[in-house]
């Protein structure tokens, strides 16, 4: 791309600072900004970052990870395709950045690089991925003592909820659209103050980039309206959890044919689709470390919360961890997709989606079979019925999920040595830090991080 023409375009947007953003392995969005006068140089040469940063946990406690000490630098190199000016921040724009070594190689600890590798792995198998993150979040008000209360007591899908949030949602949608992110649906969700505003699916890398922008946009615009938007999995212990289900479909390389849908019965899973979800289910115990990756995530993953607590799949089954939703009447074949429920906004979307792709591809390569769909609430079955059917509880804590991830050779190999070690060390440190404190500490420290 002609960088001078790019700079002129950025100037014409009235931009003074361009943020180079990344999401760290722990799920926190961080970045550095360059002034417009130095933009071209920093696009060419990146912005320097200490190699230690990915070893920072969500309490900004630096963890000992070999190779991520105080000595050494990498560069944040932006993806120009991801440029957008930020409607909620004066004279500001953002681009998603990759972590690149001084030798100009992709760096092993880069989460966005991991998703790119999994997209390439899929292409090699003749597959392209479309995905969407389906975020729920809680609108709250901050009290003088620093605590938070839900912004309303609206019931599920109740029009009362619109009274609280209509101006805010309108502004958020305008801000998303200005960044090229099309919105799909909105409704006040089940919990007090809970909102669900979904965005359209996109190619995998763009879908993850969009979700980063979405998180930043929702938080910032809510703040401008005097609210606090919490994207934590369970910001209030007695209210519905905030999911961020991942929807995914796999297509041929031309993007013409949805491989998940049967050729003869467009509303049914193909053999490919069955293998894919079998792979996801096989790796799910370790995969949830990547998709539900905060300590607070496991307060949400409980039976009878529609968030899924058991490893199984089902058709329109809201308690199944992998749900195949009934297809759209007018777009049967293209709309067939899998929904992964044990996923929330505290994950790193590049790691979460990359992990799902790796697991699905493994199922296809090994021609795994997912068995019969679960037709009832798995939580309503007796323990012995569940074990007869091979249905197991998902990990009940972050520490247990990280143990499972470490046991999962395929996922650890896909992450690669440096990213795998960094992620597990950081997450273990979070498990230990929150495990040593009480519920109030956990809720307060997750409330406004994602
Ligand atoms: N709030 C639920 C969750 O934690 C999801 C509810 C729904 O099915 O939309 O995942
Ligand atoms: Mg929902």
């Amino acid at each position: 791309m002609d960088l001078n023409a790019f700079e002129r375009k950025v100037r014409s947007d009235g931009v003074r600072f361009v943020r180079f953003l990344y999401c760290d392995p722990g799920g926190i969005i961080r970045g550095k900004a360059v002034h417009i006068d130095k933009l071209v140089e920093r696009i060419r040469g990146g912005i320097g970052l200490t190699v230690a940063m990915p070893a920072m946990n969500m309490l900004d406690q630096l963890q000992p990870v070999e190779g991520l000490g105080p000595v050494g630098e990498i560069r944040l190199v932006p993806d120009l395709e991801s440029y957008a000016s930020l409607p909620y921040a004066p004279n500001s724009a953002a681009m998603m950045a990759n972590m690149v070594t001084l030798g100009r190689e992709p760096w092993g600890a880069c989460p966005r690089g991991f998703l790119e590798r999994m997209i390439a792995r899929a292409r090699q198998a003749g597959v392209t991925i479309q995905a969407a993150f389906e975020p729920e979040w809680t609108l709250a008000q901050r009290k003088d003592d620093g605590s938070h209360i839900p912004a309303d007591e609206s019931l599920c899908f109740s029009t009362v909820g619109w009274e609280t949030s209509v101006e805010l949602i309108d502004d958020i949608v305008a801000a998303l659209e200005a960044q090229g992110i099309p919105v799909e649906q909105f409704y006040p969700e089940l919990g007090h103050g809970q909102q669900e505003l979904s965005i359209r699916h996109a190619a995998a890398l763009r879908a993850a980039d969009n979700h980063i922008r979405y998180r930043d946009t929702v938080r910032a615009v809510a703040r401008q309206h005097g609210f606090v938007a919490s994207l934590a999995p369970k910001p209030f212990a007695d209210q519905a959890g905030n999911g961020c289900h991942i929807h995914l479909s796999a297509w041929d390389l031309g993007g013409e044919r949805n491989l998940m849908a049967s050729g003869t019965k467009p509303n049914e899973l193909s053999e490919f689709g069955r293998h894919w979800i079998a792979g996801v289910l096989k790796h799910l115990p370790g995969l949830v470390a990547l998709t539900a990756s905060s300590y607070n995530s496991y307060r949400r993953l409980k039976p009878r919360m529609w968030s899924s607590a058991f490893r199984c799949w089902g058709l329109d089954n809201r308690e199944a961890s992998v749900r195949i939703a009934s297809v759209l009447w007018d777009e049967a074949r293209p709309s067939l997709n899998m929904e992964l429920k044990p996923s929330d906004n505290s994950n790193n979307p590049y790691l979460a989606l990359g992990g799902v792709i790796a697991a699905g591809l493994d199922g296809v390569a090994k021609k795994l079979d997912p068995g019969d769909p679960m037709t009832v609430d798995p939580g309503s079955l007796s323990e012995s019925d569940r074990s007869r059917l091979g249905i197991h509880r998902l990990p009940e804590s972050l520490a247990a999920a990280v143990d499972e991830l470490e046991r999962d050779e395929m996922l650890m190999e896909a992450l690669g040595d440096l990213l795998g070690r960094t992620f597990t060390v950081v997450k273990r440190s979070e498990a230990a830090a929150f495990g040593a404190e009480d519920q109030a500490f956990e809720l307060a420290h997750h409330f406004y991080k994602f």
Side-chain angles (χ1 to χ4, degrees), residues 134-136 157 187 189-190 194-196 243 245 306 318 341:
E134 184 192 311
E136 298 170 331
F157 308 155
Y187 29 87
E189 252 280 9
L190 173 64
Q194 196 179 43
Q195 321 289 322
E196 178 164 330
H245 309 161
W306 292 4
R318 288 188 187 268
K341 279 184 154 276

Side-chain angles (χ1 to χ4, degrees), residues 19-308:
R19 303 174 187 180
F20 288 16
L21 298 180
Y22 67 95
C23 188
D24 74 10
I28 305 296
I29 306 169
R30 306 183 192 247
K32 291 185 174 183
V34 63
H35 189 273
I36 183 74
D37 289 347
K38 283 288 179 190
L39 178 63
V40 171
E41 285 96 318
R42 295 285 65 80
I43 290 172
R44 286 212 180 92
I47 297 185
L49 189 76
T50 159
V51 294
M53 279 309 289
M56 203 73 102
N57 72 12
M58 63 171 281
L59 294 166
D60 263 0
Q61 298 161 337
L62 201 54
Q63 298 308 308
V65 178
E66 202 189 318
L68 306 188
V71 182
E73 284 267 310
I74 50 116
R75 297 282 185 262
L76 292 175
V77 178
D79 175 352
L80 303 195
E81 297 275 310
S82 69
Y83 169 86
S85 72
L86 301 177
Y88 53 83
N91 307 320
S92 299
M95 292 190 271
M96 302 304 141
N98 279 40
M99 297 168 166
V100 177
T101 68
L102 297 189
R104 297 171 194 259
E105 299 290 332
W107 191 39
C110 176
R112 195 169 187 267
F114 166 67
L115 177 56
E116 286 175 332
R117 279 191 281 120
M118 294 308 108
I119 291 169
R121 191 181 271 199
R123 285 197 82 82
Q124 286 207 319
V127 176
T128 56
I129 302 296
Q130 286 282 315
F133 291 83
E134 184 192 311
E136 298 170 331
W137 41 275
T138 301
L139 195 60
Q141 251 140 4
R142 190 179 164 89
K143 295 200 295 186
D144 290 342
D145 65 3
S147 64
H148 294 98
I149 48 165
D152 62 27
E153 297 187 350
S154 167
L155 303 177
C156 187
F157 308 155
S158 153
T159 49
V160 170
W162 264 274
E163 293 169 20
T164 322
S165 65
V166 65
E167 284 103 355
L168 166 66
I169 295 296
D170 191 51
D171 267 8
I172 290 174
V173 172
L176 290 171
E177 287 173 351
Q179 295 171 80
I181 301 175
V183 167
E184 185 101 21
Q185 289 193 11
F186 169 73
Y187 29 87
E189 252 280 9
L190 173 64
H192 291 173
Q194 196 179 43
Q195 321 289 322
E196 178 164 330
L197 176 66
S198 54
I199 57 179
R200 280 194 68 79
H201 62 86
L205 187 65
R206 190 63 58 225
D209 286 347
N210 282 348
H211 187 54
I212 299 290
R213 293 187 180 291
Y214 178 99
R215 281 166 52 181
D216 274 358
T217 303
V218 165
R219 265 189 278 103
V221 180
R223 184 181 275 250
Q224 288 170 351
H225 280 253
F227 291 112
V228 179
S230 175
L231 283 86
K234 195 83 169 177
F236 295 107
D238 60 346
Q239 292 293 326
N242 290 321
C244 181
H245 309 161
I246 296 175
H247 289 262
L248 179 146
S249 53
W251 295 68
D252 64 349
L253 290 182
E256 303 276 307
R257 198 161 58 87
N258 181 357
L259 304 173
M260 309 283 283
S262 150
T264 46
K265 296 182 185 149
N267 54 351
E268 283 185 16
L269 270 177
S270 61
E271 275 305 298
F272 176 99
R274 288 180 61 86
H275 297 325
W276 184 281
I277 65 169
V280 172
L281 288 168
K282 175 183 174 197
H283 294 285
L284 199 54
L287 185 59
V288 289
L290 300 177
T291 59
S293 45
S294 66
Y295 189 86
N296 187 238
S297 296
Y298 295 83
R299 196 176 288 288
R300 166 180 166 257
L301 294 184
K302 298 269 170 72
R304 283 179 285 284
M305 291 288 168
W306 292 4
S307 59
S308 87

